């Protein structure tokens, strides 16, 4: 079947979920989309110029966007217009064309499915005509006792020649409950559908007549002025007469009970507001949209754990015990955390409890995966409180923290209140993750809300817009985490006490893996140390070649990958005996290496020198380049270098100038630019006066810093100003002083391992390192690389420049 110019059915279509309305094919309907899944499905439809399938959400679906929570049939149609609204929602004009049914699911996020049209099975024309006549007659009858059919609609129903369309028009006018609407909608047998509809209309006529009678009866009994009571009574009668929802009273009773049980723990405004809303609900028609919204509000508020406060006082001994049990090293951060909680404990002991929270908020700062969240977790365990994580990354809409007002479609409490509900406690440990990434946008400034949340003067009266009453957050322990402290808005920064965590060295990673990650992952995978072990070389290889990170998060994942494979092998192959992962067989368990060091150049070149660098993710060979351009002796340095590295380039330039002046470096005079008006004989020093230099450290996007590239820079500059090539198989590391001395550096082991991988034959290292660190260097590196100790820059140039 053709559904538009370029699509036939069955076809793969994006699926949009409509929570409120039940659509029919003949309608052109404005719809409002606000959630991400629907908006993404819409984008696909617009980008691919395909129709969409709009399906109704099942009742009580609570905004869920999965195939379980929606009906499997709806309307296929096209988007006629798309208008973004200032509140973030998107309004679309949807033209329904065809009924469609989901054949099978293709994608869950956003929803996409294979969709086919619903095929109508028609009875004979005579039968159809007869049934339509009856249906129209009953509709007219119902129109007289109800408000379902406005005159225009009646006219269309009378005049429409197409039976299916008449059924759809009648169904849409009846405002059917979703379940019934759906059962009529998917009925492909037209005769059955007409019969069901006629039955329903007849029942509806009866019910409406009955309502009228009851109204009359009730009216005569009750004092007319007591309107509220009258309405309630009327509702009860109708419900009793229709045998409807006796559960509802029970539900309302349940809300009241829960509210009373929490009364003494909550503020008076909260109690009043909730009570007011329960009363309101009890007066509403159960099927009205407002009743649904109100009911979901009550479902949220009665879950707020007013009555639950974790009792445990902070105990410094417990905190210290848990921090140490869960974390390797991190001595400084642990000490600072202990001090922080020692202060709390002391204040509690001295009875100054109202001051306990007045101190600054702890903020763990450092690169990803170094244990920030995990430290918070240990604190929560020690204090026997729940841990709630609130991800602030990219958060732009203030209302996500504070909640949307109830009138907003799909409104919910903010994340803070949701966190308390999730923790079932009013005083959990709340981790505000990535506080440096909160964004400011037209939807308000989350910083202001965060300030309020963290301010002990104000946070005992935090107002969530959805709840519409104040919540006491003063007992919550807030801990923030951040990658980059400088990105935290200044007012927030002032409220925080920072605990810095830095990247791990490969050695530390190795210890963490051995003592924590491997045993923890073994346990998670149901394996025993007697089933599998990962030997030292394999672990080192995973750290150096299969992960590239400051922390250990990916390392944990790679270990888990290996153990999953081992577990599967044990089950499927029934293999017995212990599996040992070694550097050799590691390839069988892990997919490709993420990081390989580039091989050294094959040719000696002017101005290109191999430096050795240490980064948070291991050693690396950095090729420093320099060129000369006719100019005035100005040096330009690029490659995202930190201040220390820039200074070290300046030092390098001065060192080379001195070497030239002292004739320790011989400048071929042919390269020195000559000017027509030169009156004097050119000197060697003219080479650095008549050229500009440009020094670049490649991989410009990665920030680099530190003094250890000093001798590499000297060599690069010396090479271009003397026109002598640099040996391609030599690499070096060392700090340089103005007088040309070479000073020791850190991270030698990682640097030499990287040099080894890059195929370097000679490494120049500071003498101090040579004497101090050579024992740590793996044997195969020492065997393949000629490691030369250097004291001065002359030693470096002698070995690095081609003779
Ligand atoms: N020193 C350590 N000892 C033991 N395990 C550690 C250590 N540091 C980190 N880990 C483990 O590494 C994993 C990652 O740590 P965590 O999730 O706490 O990182 P994070 O710093 O919060 O990262 P992000 O900023 O991305 O949230 C955790 O499973 C944690 O247990």
């Amino acid at each position: 079947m053709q559904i538009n110019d370029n699509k036939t059915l069955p076809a793969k279509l994006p699926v949009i979920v409509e929570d409120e309305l039940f659509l029919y094919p003949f309608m052109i309907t404005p719809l409002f989309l606000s959630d991400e899944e629907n908006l993404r499905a819409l984008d696909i439809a617009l980008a691919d110029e395909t129709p969409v399938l709009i399906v109704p959400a099942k009742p009580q679906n609570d905004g869920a966007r999965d195939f379980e929570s929606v009906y499997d049939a709806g309307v296929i149609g096209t988007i006629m217009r798309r208008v973004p609204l200032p509140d973030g929602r998107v309004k679309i004009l949807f033209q329904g064309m065809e009924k469609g049914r989901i054949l099978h699911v293709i994608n869950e996020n956003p929803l996409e499915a294979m969709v086919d049209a619903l095929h109508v099975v028609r009875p004979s024309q005579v039968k159809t005509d007869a049934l339509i006549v009856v249906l129209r007659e009953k509709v007219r009858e119902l129109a007289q006792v109800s408000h379902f059919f406005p005159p225009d609609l009646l006219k269309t129903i009378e005049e429409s020649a197409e039976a299916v369309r008449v059924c759809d028009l009648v169904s849409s006018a009846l405002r059917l409950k979703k379940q019934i609407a759906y059962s009529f909608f998917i009925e492909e047998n037209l005769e059955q559908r007409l019969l069901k509809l006629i039955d329903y209309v007849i029942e509806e006529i009866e019910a409406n007549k009955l309502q009228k009678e009851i109204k009359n009866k009730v009216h005569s009994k009750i004092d007319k002025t007591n309107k509220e009571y009258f309405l309630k009574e009327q509702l009860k009668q109708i419900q009793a007469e229709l045998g409807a929802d006796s559960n509802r009273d029970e539900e309302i009773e349940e809300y009241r009970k829960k509210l009373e049980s929490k009364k003494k723990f909550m503020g008076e405004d909260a109690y009043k507001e909730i009570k007011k809303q329960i009363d309101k609900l009890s007066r509403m028609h159960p099927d009205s949209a407002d009743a649904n919204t109100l009911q979901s509000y009550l479902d949220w508020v009665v879950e707020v754990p007013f009555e639950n406060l974790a009792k445990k006082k902070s105990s410094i001994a417990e905190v210290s015990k848990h921090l140490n049990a869960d974390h390797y090293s991190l001595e400084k951060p642990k000490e600072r955390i202990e001090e922080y909680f020692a202060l709390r404990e002391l204040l509690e002991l001295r009875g100054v409890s109202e001051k306990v929270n007045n101190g600054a908020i702890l903020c763990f700062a450092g690169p990803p995966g170094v244990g920030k969240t995990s430290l918070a977790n240990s604190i929560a365990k020690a204090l026997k409180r729940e841990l709630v994580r609130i991800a602030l990354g990219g958060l732009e809409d203030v209302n996500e923290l504070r909640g949307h007002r109830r009138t907003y479609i799909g409104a919910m409490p903010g994340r803070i209140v949701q966190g308390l509900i999730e923790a079932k406690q009013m005083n959990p440990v709340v981790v505000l993750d990535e506080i440096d990434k909160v964004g400011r946008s037209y939807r308000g400034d989350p910083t202001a809300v965060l300030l309020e949340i963290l301010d002990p003067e104000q946070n005992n009266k935090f107002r969530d817009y959805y709840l519409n009453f104040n919540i006491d957050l003063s007992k919550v322990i807030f801990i923030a985490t951040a990658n980059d402290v400088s990105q935290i808005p200044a007012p927030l920064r002032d409220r925080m006490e920072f605990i810095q965590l830095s990247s791990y060295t490969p050695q530390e990673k190795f210890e963490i893996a051995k003592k924590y990650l491997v045993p923890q992952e073994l346990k998670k995978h149901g394996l025993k140390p007697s089933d599998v072990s990962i030997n030292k070389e394999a672990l080192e290889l995973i750290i150096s070649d299969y992960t590239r990170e400051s922390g250990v998060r990916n390392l944990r994942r790679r270990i888990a990958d290996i153990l999953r494979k081992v577990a599967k092998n044990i089950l499927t192959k029934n293999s017995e005996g212990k599996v040992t992962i070694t550097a050799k067989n590691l390839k069988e368990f892990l997919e490709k290496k993420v990081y390989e060091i580039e091989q050294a150049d094959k040719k000696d070149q002017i101005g290109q020198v191999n430096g050795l660098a240490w980064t948070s993710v291991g050693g690396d060979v950095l090729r420093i380049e320099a060129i000369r351009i006719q100019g005035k002796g100005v040096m330009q340095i690029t490659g995202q270098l930190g201040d220390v590295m820039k200074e070290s380039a300046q030092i390098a330039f001065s060192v080379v100038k001195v070497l030239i002046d002292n004739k320790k470096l011989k400048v071929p005079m042919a390269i020195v630019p000559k000017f027509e008006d030169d009156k004097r004989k050119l000197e060697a020093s003219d080479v650095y006066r008549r050229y500009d230099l440009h020094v670049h450290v490649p991989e410009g996007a990665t920030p680099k810093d530190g003094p250890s590239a000093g001798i590499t820079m000297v060599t690069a500059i010396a090479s271009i100003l003397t026109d002598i090539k640099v040996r391609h198989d030599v690499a070096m590391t060392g700090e340089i002083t103005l007088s040309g001395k070479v000073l020791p550096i850190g991270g030698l082991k990682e640097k030499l391992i990287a040099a080894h991988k890059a195929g370097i034959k000679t490494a120049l290292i500071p003498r101090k390192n040579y004497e101090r660190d050579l024992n740590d260097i793996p044997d195969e590196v020492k065997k393949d690389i000629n490691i030369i100790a250097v004291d001065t820059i002359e030693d470096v140039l002698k070995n690095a420049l081609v003779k």
Side-chain angles (χ1 to χ4, degrees), residues 326-328 330 367-374 389 433 483 504 512 516-517 552-553 556:
D326 298 341
H327 298 94
Y328 171 79
L330 296 177
V370 291
K372 300 186 290 295
T373 316
S374 159
R389 263 182 93 161
D433 244 341
N483 292 139
Y504 292 122
I512 293 174
Y516 296 83
L517 308 185
V552 290
R553 177 162 309 137
R556 184 192 277 285

